[in-house]
Amino acid sequence: MSLVLLRDIAKSSHSVVGMLADISRLKAAQAKIEELAYHDALTGLPNRSLAHDRLAQAMLRSERTGMPFALLYIDLDRFKVINDRYGHEAGDKVLVETSHRMRSAIRQTDTLARLGGDEFIVVAEDVEMPQGALRVADELLQALSPPCAVADSLVACGASIGIAIYPQDAHDQDALLHAADQAMYQAKVAGGQRYRMFDANMLQVLLPGLELEHELRRALLHKEFVLHYQIQVDTTGAIVGAEALRRWRAGGTPSEVC
C-alpha cells in the first residue's frame, strides 16, 4: 500500500490518495522459485545445494561447540535393477517411497537430503558417538528393509550406508563426503543392506586403483596412447579383417591396454 498527500493551495485543503496492490501471487512465485532452487522436485527433500549448506552449518556448529556429528551416506540397493526392469516411472515411485520412510525414521532435527539418483545423506547432530550414529543407521535400515510395491510386485530395496564422523574422519566437507562414500562402498561390496563406519584403511585399499587412474590421465595428457591394426587371416592366409589395438607407450615401452 502507498499513500500520496495532495495539496489544494487555492482552497488551503489537503487530501490523501491511497493505492493498494495485491502482490500475493508475486510472493507465491518467489517462494516457488526458492523451493525449486533448494529442494528436489521429485521427493521434496533438500537437494545437493541445500545439503552442502546444511553440512557447512553443521561443521561450524561443531567447531564452535566441540561436539562431533555424523554424516551418513546412503545408496539404495538394486535400484538400477528396478529401473531397468520396471522403467523410470517405477524407479521414481521407489525413490518417493524410500524418501518417506527415511524421513519418518530420523529426528526432525536431522537433515535428510537427496544428492541425486538413488544417493542420499543424513546429517545427524547432537548424538552420542559412535553409538548414536549406529542407531540412526539401524533405524534407516529397518525402515528400508520392507519390500516396495512396484508394478503389482513386491521388490526388495534395502540400502548400503557409510558413516563418517566430523572432525574425527575428515576436516573439510569434500573429505567428509568422500569418507562416508567410501564406507558406503564397503557396505555395498559386503552384500548391501548394512552399514560400515569409515576407517582410514579403506583409503589404502583404493590407492592402487587411484594410482592407475592418475597414470592413465597423465598418459592421455601426454598422448602416450597409439593405435595399431593387427591383420586377421583365414586358414588359407587370405586377409579377412583387422583388429584394432590401442597401445600405451608408458615410459617409452608399449603395452597393450585394449
Side-chain angles (χ1 to χ4, degrees):
M1 179 178 180
S2 60
L3 299 175
V4 179
L5 177 64
L6 301 178
R7 294 183 178 181
D8 189 331
I9 300 177
K11 297 181 179 180
S12 300
S13 62
H14 299 79
S15 59
V16 177
V17 176
M19 181 180 296
L20 291 173
D22 184 2
I23 60 171
S24 58
R25 290 185 178 180
L26 177 61
K27 291 289 187 181
Q30 290 175 338
K32 185 63 176 178
I33 291 173
E34 185 172 347
E35 174 76 13
L36 293 174
Y38 295 107
H39 290 81
D40 178 55
L42 178 64
T43 63
L45 296 176
N47 61 14
R48 181 181 290 270
S49 295
L50 187 53
H52 282 293
D53 181 69
R54 296 279 179 86
L55 192 52
Q57 292 180 31
M59 293 171 68
L60 289 174
R61 283 190 292 269
S62 176
E63 292 167 5
R64 185 174 63 251
T65 64
M67 296 293 293
F69 70 88
L71 174 66
L72 291 83
Y73 203 112
I74 306 156
D75 186 272
L76 300 182
D77 295 332
R78 294 176 292 279
F79 180 73
K80 185 178 185 302
V81 175
I82 295 173
N83 247 352
D84 292 344
R85 181 172 180 179
Y86 298 101
H88 292 288
E89 184 176 348
D92 287 348
K93 290 181 180 179
V94 169
L95 289 173
V96 172
E97 171 65 21
T98 52
S99 296
H100 288 163
R101 293 186 189 183
M102 287 189 286
R103 188 152 40 189
S104 65
I106 61 175
R107 303 168 302 169
Q108 290 185 347
T109 54
D110 297 332
T111 292
L112 170 65
R114 183 188 178 201
L115 298 184
D118 61 337
E119 295 183 341
F120 302 81
I121 63 167
V122 169
V123 180
E125 301 180 76
D126 300 321
V127 293
E128 184 182 358
M129 298 298 171
Q131 292 83 0
L134 300 182
R135 282 196 297 270
V136 174
D138 276 326
E139 292 289 340
L140 288 168
L141 289 177
Q142 290 178 24
L144 294 172
S145 61
C148 296
V150 177
D152 298 326
S153 301
L154 291 177
V155 180
C157 295
S160 300
I161 302 176
I163 306 170
I165 308 299
Y166 180 86
Q168 171 183 314
D169 296 325
H171 296 285
D172 63 70
Q173 188 171 139
D174 288 342
L176 186 65
L177 282 164
H178 181 67
D181 181 36
Q182 294 308 316
M184 180 277 295
Y185 175 76
Q186 294 299 323
K188 192 169 288 290
V189 168
Q193 189 54 19
R194 68 195 67 207
Y195 60 77
R196 286 287 185 269
M197 294 284 296
F198 174 75
D199 187 303
N201 291 328
M202 293 178 179
L203 296 179
Q204 298 300 321
V205 173
L206 295 173
L207 280 179
L210 291 175
E211 290 175 357
L212 177 59
E213 179 182 348
H214 173 73
E215 289 299 319
L216 287 171
R217 291 181 183 276
R218 186 192 61 79
L220 285 171
L221 180 64
H222 294 282
K223 299 180 179 180
E224 294 180 353
F225 292 108
V226 293
L227 187 63
H228 293 271
Y229 291 96
Q230 182 171 299
I231 295 175
Q232 295 177 327
V233 298
D234 61 15
T235 55
T236 67
I239 297 175
V240 295
E243 180 183 8
L245 300 173
R246 185 183 298 125
R247 298 184 184 275
W248 178 10
R249 295 185 178 275
T253 303
S255 59
E256 185 178 315
V257 295
C258 65

